[in-house]
Amino acid sequence: MCGIVAIAVSERREDLGVILTEALKRLEYRGYDSVGVAVVDSGVLRVAKNVGAVDAVAKLEGFARLSGSVGIGHTRWATHGAPTRENAHPHVDCGMRVAVAHNGIIENYSELKEMLRSRGHVFASETDTEVVPHLVEELKSSGADTYSAFKRAISMLRGAFAIVAVDAGHPRRIFFARKVSPLIVGLGDGVVLVSSDIVSILPFTNRAVVLNDDEVGYAEPGLVFVEALGGGPADLSSRVVQVEYAAEDFGKGPYEHYMLKEIYEQPHSLAQTLSGLVSAKEEVERAARVLGESDNVYVVGAGSSYHASLVGALYFRYLGLRAYAFVASEASVYLRGVGEGDAVVAVSQSGETIDTLLAVRESVRRGARVVALVNNPLSTIAREAGTYVYLRSGPEISVAATKTFTSQVAALVYLGTVLAKDGSHTSRVLEALRRLPEVTASVIESSEGAARSLARRMSSAQSAYYLGRAFGYPISAEGALKIKEVAYVHAEAYPAGESKHGPISLVVREFPVFFTVVGELDELVEGNVEEMKARGAYVVTVLPRDRVTPVLERNSDAMISLPRVSLEVSLVTYVIPYQLLAYYTAVERGLNPDRPRNLAKTVTVF
Ligand code: GLU
């Protein structure tokens, strides 16, 4: 949540405001309640901010008129205080010398605010963030230089956060600190950047240092100083990494929205995931060994990653492992009793999801072995898990996960397959997975027309059920989540066999009910389809071509019949019609699917 970025350049730039705007556009997926920038120009601090999207605010507030040699920017996902202009970041001190942008939460802000108020500081916002510039100002007033005051201020904060700051007296210096929330320093030629995400750094450089928890420091072009809070200076020479992404991966291409682009990219992203898994043979085998040797395997994730975890855990069970999935936000309860003989698989697109990170830490503390599945090898979760598998889906900008979900499922299925004891099963599945990119393209093609026409119907629907048995349930859950997220249709996923134990009482004529028929127990779904149809539901079945039976045909108002493929391949691809349906329903409703209300992509607050 919240994107923060800071840029310092060796020569003053007339277009610093434009550069910050471009960087913020790349961070917009992290929050779009408000946008703001602060620059230091010839010893003067200037701030421009407002509520709205980056382009609109930049235009309204004249970001393009801002020049200087150092600046910070912020896109907000509000936690403390409504999304208003006053609460928009950056926040400043009373003397307009220090500006701060912040991602995360400062838990002890009220007591600090009270103390600062009693010392005469006047606050302009309701945010937790604003205590930081005032605290720096207060500490500077007793003679400390800016960096010492900043470091001291950081040591007084409790919570999880990443902070960047500038001071009018330092024309080229960025001050920064990290506690839990991610922060990366980009090292370019004549430019240094500090940001929550590598995406805003990449247009300038692909050389970066990932900050560790509890690190604080400052950067100027050609100079980076980092130290551990309460420890000594860090040696960065061995910590510089080269990032693989190409800047062009971040464009929208010919598509109107990132979400559609990312859905269509799946044949390619899955090919990347698979070839990455094949080439990272050692890591994959190590991960598979960890799972294979464990008494129990726990798979944890949040949101779509949780649904991928459900598919993965069920597949591990199908292979005979004792596997369970649970939501990362409840890990502290579910991990009780987990210990040395167990393995935990942490699934997180960003590798920064706070609940999943805490689950990783708790698992490590309990002596369990942790395998992470992430789409960012520089992420905190990748670094803290004993073993990680890199998904290589490429950057996912749309808030609703699509291609990373299918990559996660593909990686989980692949892991299961590698560890399966039965050699003929393994070679059969690996052979089937080789065809995954091509099958994915044909699933997209087979779903496109039906998804578009169903979207017209769904655009006036209030509610829908998404039902499936066994593997069909988590795929349905992901389908329901998509349409909820981007099209605001209330959609509920349920195990199909449970639908008559309650949910069916809501079904009236034309109530949309989607059935996902995939793999195990699918013959039992037929009965549920008949029950729903008997109550007048509008029944849609998503199923493999060779599973179309007279009963299903008679009772379905619409069918999305997909290529006949192995169980493993269908687990990865059968969600695609639901992704397309959610996308087109949002568009039919005049919504922007890339920017769902109240959501942000990387959830870094509890
Ligand atoms: N707590 C800060 C605010 O509400 C930052 C929020 C965030 O990082 O999501 O403005």
Side-chain angles (χ1 to χ4, degrees):
M1 313 245 161
C2 279
I4 61 176
V5 62
I7 302 179
V9 283
S10 43
E11 299 292 329
R12 177 178 182 276
R13 302 271 305 226
E14 285 294 332
D15 59 351
L16 189 63
V18 176
I19 298 177
L20 282 166
T21 309
E22 287 307 310
L24 286 171
K25 280 211 252 185
R26 288 164 172 265
L27 291 176
E28 203 166 17
Y29 71 89
R30 298 177 71 92
Y32 28 83
D33 287 334
S34 61
V35 186
V37 295
V39 298
V40 173
D41 193 13
S42 317
V44 178
L45 180 68
R46 291 185 215 286
V47 179
K49 58 187 188 179
N50 215 326
V51 176
V54 176
D55 272 332
V57 174
K59 203 159 161 223
L60 186 74
E61 299 297 326
F63 286 8
R65 288 194 298 274
L66 297 172
S67 38
S69 41
V70 67
I72 58 177
H74 186 267
T75 63
R76 179 165 188 242
W77 190 86
T79 65
H80 291 60
T84 60
R85 186 173 203 270
E86 293 67 40
N87 291 335
H89 299 214
H91 291 286
V92 295
D93 61 341
C94 299
M96 253 315 253
R97 302 293 290 169
V98 177
V100 168
H102 156 229
N103 163 214
I105 287 173
I106 296 164
E107 284 164 11
N108 56 336
Y109 84 100
S110 355
E111 45 203 85
L112 291 169
K113 198 166 177 175
E114 213 170 293
M115 178 278 281
L116 287 161
R117 269 200 178 122
S118 74
R119 309 270 309 155
H121 292 262
V122 179
F123 285 79
S125 80
E126 302 151 312
T127 62
D128 47 346
T129 310
E130 202 189 344
V131 297
V132 184
H134 290 283
L135 197 51
V136 175
E137 179 177 47
E138 178 64 27
L139 295 164
K140 270 173 70 178
S141 70
S142 46
D145 62 76
T146 309
Y147 179 61
S148 313
F150 179 76
K151 189 168 97 177
R152 177 89 202 287
I154 297 298
S155 68
M156 293 166 73
L157 307 180
R158 276 204 321 271
F161 51 78
I163 288 175
V164 288
V166 286
D167 182 308
H170 291 270
R172 260 174 289 278
R173 183 165 288 195
I174 302 163
F175 301 89
F176 56 79
R178 169 189 186 173
K179 193 179 188 112
V180 185
S181 307
L183 207 55
I184 299 175
V185 182
L187 312 164
D189 224 4
V191 56
V192 65
L193 301 101
V194 181
S195 178
S196 346
D197 192 326
I198 191 76
V199 296
S200 56
I201 290 177
L202 280 172
F204 299 89
T205 176
N206 65 349
R207 294 177 64 237
V209 171
V210 182
L211 293 174
N212 293 332
D213 243 5
D214 288 318
E215 281 187 333
V216 55
Y218 55 85
E220 293 190 2
L223 161 82
V224 181
F225 174 79
V226 177
E227 61 183 315
L229 266 181
D235 174 13
L236 299 182
S237 54
S238 60
R239 285 174 52 186
V240 178
V241 291
Q242 300 273 350
V243 183
E244 281 180 30
Y245 288 161
E248 57 274 13
D249 288 346
F250 295 93
K252 236 189 277 183
Y255 297 94
E256 201 183 332
H257 297 106
Y258 280 107
M259 184 175 177
L260 190 62
K261 173 189 178 234
E262 289 158 6
I263 293 173
Y264 267 84
E265 242 169 33
Q266 290 175 108
H268 174 69
S269 54
L270 286 166
Q272 293 289 106
T273 302
L274 287 179
S275 64
L277 290 166
V278 172
S279 58
K281 201 165 180 285
E282 248 170 63
E283 282 98 322
V284 171
E285 277 175 2
R286 190 174 342 124
R289 229 182 1 260
V290 168
L291 305 192
E293 289 165 3
S294 300
D295 298 333
N296 301 290
V297 176
Y298 299 91
V299 195
V300 297
S304 293
S305 302
Y306 168 61
H307 296 147
S309 305
L310 283 169
V311 179
L314 197 54
Y315 187 65
F316 294 158
R317 277 206 162 250
Y318 172 81
L319 298 173
L321 257 60
R322 270 196 294 270
Y324 316 81
F326 53 83
V327 287
S329 51
E330 294 171 9
S332 58
V333 179
Y334 282 94
L335 286 173
R336 282 183 200 147
V338 170
E340 279 175 19
D342 299 320
V344 174
V345 181
V347 185
S348 165
Q349 188 280 129
S350 63
E352 303 291 351
T353 309
I354 187 85
D355 291 325
T356 315
L357 174 60
L358 296 179
V360 168
R361 290 187 176 160
E362 175 70 11
S363 310
V364 170
R365 200 182 61 75
R366 290 180 171 277
R369 290 194 287 173
V370 180
V371 174
L373 245 61
V374 291
N375 196 29
N376 177 1
L378 303 182
S379 61
T380 316
I381 291 177
R383 292 179 317 134
E384 295 195 12
T387 307
Y388 76 85
V389 173
Y390 172 27
L391 294 173
R392 291 184 170 80
S393 323
E396 188 174 66
I397 310 288
S398 174
V399 169
T402 52
K403 62 173 179 170
T404 54
F405 173 80
T406 50
S407 287
Q408 288 168 343
V409 176
L412 287 161
V413 165
Y414 190 92
L415 272 182
T417 302
V418 172
L419 68 86
K421 304 253 169 350
D422 170 356
S424 70
H425 168 91
T426 305
S427 44
R428 183 185 55 75
V429 177
L430 292 181
E431 190 52 44
L433 287 176
R434 258 193 276 283
R435 287 192 52 229
L436 186 56
E438 158 202 342
V439 173
T440 306
S442 99
V443 169
I444 294 176
E445 208 187 304
S446 318
S447 323
E448 172 75 39
R452 275 180 192 265
S453 73
L454 283 168
R456 284 193 284 281
R457 168 171 281 270
M458 290 308 288
S459 67
S460 57
Q462 299 287 317
S463 289
Y465 282 139
Y466 282 62
L467 309 178
R469 286 191 187 232
F471 291 112
Y473 169 69
I475 295 171
S476 299
E478 178 60 10
L481 178 64
K482 285 309 96 166
I483 201 161
K484 229 176 333 213
E485 279 180 307
V486 302
Y488 313 153
V489 175
H490 171 248
E492 193 178 348
Y494 232 83
E498 288 289 294
S499 58
K500 53 184 171 297
H501 298 284
I504 201 164
S505 67
L506 264 71
V507 173
V508 289
R509 273 190 64 73
E510 301 296 311
F511 187 101
V513 183
F514 293 84
F515 283 94
T516 317
V517 181
V518 53
E520 304 280 281
L521 304 181
D522 51 5
E523 64 291 349
L524 295 176
V525 177
E526 290 194 6
N528 305 121
V529 168
E530 289 195 276
E531 289 153 15
M532 287 297 172
K533 192 61 210 164
R535 269 99 194 151
Y538 185 86
V539 172
V540 182
T541 35
V542 174
L543 76 182
R545 239 161 248 156
D546 64 326
R547 289 285 301 120
V548 178
T549 62
V551 174
L552 291 176
E553 205 152 29
R554 203 171 47 245
N555 290 292
S556 301
D557 295 281
M559 272 188 162
I560 305 184
S561 60
L562 299 175
R564 197 183 134 241
V565 287
S566 68
L567 169 70
E568 290 76 9
V569 172
S570 57
L571 296 183
V572 180
T573 54
Y574 275 29
V575 72
I576 292 173
Y578 293 141
Q579 297 174 340
L580 285 165
L581 174 65
Y583 172 78
Y584 286 118
T585 307
V587 172
E588 281 285 330
R589 289 190 155 191
L591 302 166
N592 178 352
D594 285 342
R595 241 181 255 170
R597 180 173 64 203
N598 302 339
L599 297 178
K601 193 161 184 72
T602 308
V603 183
T604 53
V605 293
F606 309 106

